[in-house]
């Protein structure tokens, strides 16, 4: 167990009992961002270090930007839950988890303050100095658990992080008037969308049918990458934004 913070940016070291070794010697190559979803940061911190909660994270960032470390980066924290990304199901072993205090969708979902965002930026960059984390593996909790999780949500400023060199991003294609693809549609266009989402990393089956599973994945994609409208419909804006991100990741588009 780590006896002191890994990050020099951590103002507090409050060890959580909820951790274990990473499986098979896994080295973290993923960064997962969450919101706490609790009304106070103190309650969230107490929950993350409570042995009965069975949850934890490596770091917690409060509204004022004060950083607390609770699990050593070498250890497997319990923050991802049932999840999937790019064929991987044990995201806890693969990742470092940051809890960002915000009451979330159930409590009026306030904006993330500038002081907090500055601290998140600095912490991510500090983690990158110790771990080789590709930009496409900086993910939202909602990315790895669509339909089950919504955090950190559509108010989180992913574009700001990308300007600091954190995460994969493109300016979303503007909204249009097209209805797009939605529940019940069955076509090659649906299959192409599903292939693109699967290639990007989401857990989606290629069936050519736009069922609820596809809709929840599209909602997750929109919540992270096309935040102007979260409706689960794959309009042109959503589909072309996804295409751009795939091209950027492959190096075909800068």
């Amino acid at each position: 167990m780590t006896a002191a913070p890994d990050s020099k940016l951590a103002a507090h070291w409050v060890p959580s009992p909820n951790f274990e070794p990473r499986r098979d010697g896994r080295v973290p190559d993923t960064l997962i961002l969450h919101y706490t979803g609790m009304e106070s940061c103190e309650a969230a911190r107490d929950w993350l270090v409570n042995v009965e909660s069975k949850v934890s994270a490596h770091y917690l960032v409060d509204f004022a930007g004060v950083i607390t470390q609770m699990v050593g980066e070498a250890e497997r924290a319990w923050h991802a839950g049932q999840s999937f990304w790019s064929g991987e199901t044990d995201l806890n072993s693969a990742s470092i988890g940051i809890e960002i205090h915000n009451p979330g969708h159930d409590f009026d979902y306030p904006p993330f303050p500038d002081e907090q965002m500055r601290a998140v930026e600095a912490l991510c960059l500090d983690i990158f100095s110790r771990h080789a984390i590709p930009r496409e593996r900086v993910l939202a909790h909602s990315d790895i658990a669509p339909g089950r999780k919504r955090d950190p949500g559509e108010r989180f400023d992913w574009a700001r992080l990308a300007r600091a060199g954190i995460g994969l991003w493109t300016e979303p294609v503007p909204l249009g008037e097209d209805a797009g693809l939605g529940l019940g549609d069955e076509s090659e266009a649906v299959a192409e969308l599903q292939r693109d989402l699967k290639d990007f990393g989401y857990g989606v089956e290629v069936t050519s049918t736009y069922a609820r599973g596809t809709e929840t994945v599209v909602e997750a994609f929109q919540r992270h990458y096309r935040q102007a409208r979260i409706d689960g419909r794959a309009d042109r804006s959503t589909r072309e934004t996804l295409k751009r991100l795939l091209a950027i990741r492959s190096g075909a588009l800068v």
Side-chain angles (χ1 to χ4, degrees), residues 14-19 34-36 38 40-61 68-71 77-79 97-101:
V14 183
S16 174
N18 303 328
F19 73 94
H34 308 250
Y35 66 39
T36 57
M38 300 181 73
S40 79
C41 191
E42 293 75 15
R45 181 197 60 211
D46 291 348
W47 186 242
L48 290 164
V49 299
N50 185 331
V51 68
E52 295 181 1
S53 74
K54 305 297 184 186
V55 295
S56 61
H58 295 90
Y59 294 97
L60 171 66
V61 184
T68 299
Q69 185 168 0
M70 293 167 288
V71 175
W78 304 342
H79 59 98
I98 301 175
E99 287 278 358
I100 303 160
H101 177 59

Side-chain angles (χ1 to χ4, degrees), residues 77-132:
W78 304 342
H79 59 98
Q82 185 177 354
S83 52
F84 178 95
W85 190 258
S86 290
E88 188 138 30
T89 55
D90 184 6
L91 271 299
N92 280 333
S93 286
S95 67
I96 291 172
I98 301 175
E99 287 278 358
I100 303 160
H101 177 59
N102 187 293
H105 292 81
D106 292 337
F107 299 101
D108 296 327
Y109 192 31
F112 294 83
D114 181 66
E115 297 85 354
Q116 186 178 48
M117 290 300 300
R118 282 203 308 267
V120 171
E121 286 177 25
L123 178 57
C124 290
L125 293 172
D126 185 57
I127 290 168
F128 292 169
S129 73
R130 291 181 293 279
H131 303 281

Side-chain angles (χ1 to χ4, degrees), residues 120-225:
V120 171
E121 286 177 25
L123 178 57
C124 290
L125 293 172
D126 185 57
I127 290 168
F128 292 169
S129 73
R130 291 181 293 279
H131 303 281
I133 296 177
R135 58 181 178 168
E136 65 269 19
R137 290 187 72 93
V138 179
L139 303 171
H141 198 188
S142 54
D143 289 320
I144 64 172
R148 187 174 69 84
K149 294 295 180 179
R150 294 180 287 178
D151 57 307
E154 61 276 9
R155 285 192 166 184
F156 189 74
D157 196 347
W158 291 100
R160 173 179 178 153
L161 291 191
R163 290 193 295 271
I166 303 158
L168 187 66
W169 182 257
T170 187
E171 189 64 26
V173 173
L175 296 175
E177 299 299 323
D178 62 303
L181 304 170
L183 279 177
D185 288 344
E186 198 166 347
S187 66
E188 173 54 31
V190 173
E192 181 180 358
L193 167 70
Q194 291 167 333
R195 285 193 294 269
D196 286 348
L197 289 166
K198 184 175 182 179
D199 184 19
F200 198 61
Y202 289 101
V204 63
E205 292 184 76
V206 180
T207 63
S208 303
T209 300
Y210 206 112
R212 179 58 183 156
T214 299
E215 184 181 61
T216 57
V217 168
V218 170
E219 286 174 355
F221 175 82
Q222 292 170 336
R223 210 174 289 282
H224 185 156
Y225 298 102

Side-chain angles (χ1 to χ4, degrees), residues 135 243-254:
R135 58 181 178 168
K243 293 281 190 187
R244 285 188 185 182
L245 288 163
L246 287 166
I248 292 168
R249 190 187 65 181
S250 71
L253 184 66
V254 177

